[in-house]
Amino acid sequence: MRNDVGVKGTLADVDDRMNCVVDNAVRLTPEGQKQKLEQIYIKARLIRYVHFPPSVDPSALIEQTRRDQYEASRHYQRLAAFGPTHLNKAQAARAEAEGG
């Protein structure tokens, strides 16, 4: 990190601004003090660089996430465009049985 503090753990979440959530983290200060944390949130502006193990391909993970988000947006666009009036008979019967 920018303040020479290191954090090692499992990357749990990253947003589009590169703010990170790290699980099972160990925070290491320049003085050598170690602090174990269940979870830590790190703002993007504090991150200097990120190391990944050789077995992880970040570009493949980014591409898969991009595809998943694209497919999800297309799914909801189709629902918004066609709405509930175009449900097939089985879906309509289920919706009616559930009270909707």
Side-chain angles (χ1 to χ4, degrees), residues 3-49:
N3 54 2
D4 293 329
V5 171
V7 175
K8 186 175 184 177
T10 304
L11 187 61
D13 192 28
V14 178
D15 65 15
D16 57 342
R17 294 190 175 132
M18 204 175 146
N19 297 310
C20 298
V21 176
V22 179
D23 288 340
N24 303 318
V26 176
R27 182 176 176 267
L28 181 63
T29 65
E31 294 82 29
Q33 296 175 335
K34 288 185 180 182
Q35 180 183 13
K36 290 185 180 185
L37 302 163
E38 187 175 317
Q39 189 175 65
I40 186 171
Y41 175 81
I42 306 170
K43 290 187 175 190
R45 64 183 180 84
L46 295 176
I47 298 171
R48 185 177 293 165
Y49 51 86

Side-chain angles (χ1 to χ4, degrees), residues 21-82:
V21 176
V22 179
D23 288 340
N24 303 318
V26 176
R27 182 176 176 267
L28 181 63
T29 65
E31 294 82 29
Q33 296 175 335
K34 288 185 180 182
Q35 180 183 13
K36 290 185 180 185
L37 302 163
E38 187 175 317
Q39 189 175 65
I40 186 171
Y41 175 81
I42 306 170
K43 290 187 175 190
R45 64 183 180 84
L46 295 176
I47 298 171
R48 185 177 293 165
Y49 51 86
V50 177
H51 290 279
F52 290 101
S55 61
V56 175
D57 181 9
S59 60
L61 295 172
I62 291 167
E63 182 62 21
Q64 183 60 47
T65 301
R66 190 192 65 75
R67 280 191 207 130
D68 292 346
Q69 290 174 345
Y70 174 76
E71 288 302 319
S73 70
R74 296 291 296 156
H75 172 75
Y76 288 110
Q77 285 175 354
R78 283 191 296 271
L79 288 179
F82 298 113

Side-chain angles (χ1 to χ4, degrees), residues 86-98:
H86 294 286
L87 296 174
N88 66 35
K89 290 181 183 179
Q91 289 174 322
R94 241 184 281 128
E96 203 166 307
E98 293 175 0

